[in-house]
Amino acid sequence: MIPPETPRQAAYALAGIYLYGEQTMSDDKSNAGGQDRKRISLSEDYEVRDWAEKFGVSEQQLRDAVGRVGDQAEDVERALRGS
């Protein structure tokens, strides 16, 4: 049984944030696996820093590559390597 919604929960649901069940949000720092390892989030400073370090590029070069090819890590790496 789903409990009744409060106005706040309805707003969260519209934003794609679900409050029921065992689902976790993609930016859950304690659950950094699966999809989190395949996508680059430019909204998290630590992710920009870590991905830039991993690829051996500046943070701006990383941001530019994500802007060109999207947030999939494999695509970004390929773009940065010039492949």
Side-chain angles (χ1 to χ4, degrees):
M1 175 174 181
I2 298 176
E5 289 185 344
T6 66
R8 179 180 230 171
Q9 289 170 323
Y12 285 153
L14 286 173
I17 302 169
Y18 299 96
L19 302 175
Y20 305 112
E22 293 297 318
Q23 298 177 353
T24 57
M25 294 175 50
S26 62
D27 62 350
D28 181 354
K29 292 1 173 228
S30 67
N31 188 23
Q35 292 288 2
D36 235 25
R37 291 189 190 124
K38 296 178 182 178
R39 300 180 76 189
I40 299 171
S41 171
L42 297 180
S43 63
E44 299 287 349
D45 290 339
Y46 74 92
E47 281 205 38
V48 174
R49 181 191 65 236
D50 293 350
W51 283 108
E53 184 177 314
K54 174 182 171 132
F55 295 143
V57 298
S58 71
E59 291 182 14
Q60 188 58 52
Q61 287 173 307
L62 178 73
R63 289 179 189 281
D64 292 344
V66 170
R68 284 193 313 273
V69 301
D71 67 355
Q72 297 294 319
E74 286 181 359
D75 297 339
V76 172
E77 183 175 24
R78 208 174 1 261
L80 291 169
R81 303 279 182 247
S83 307

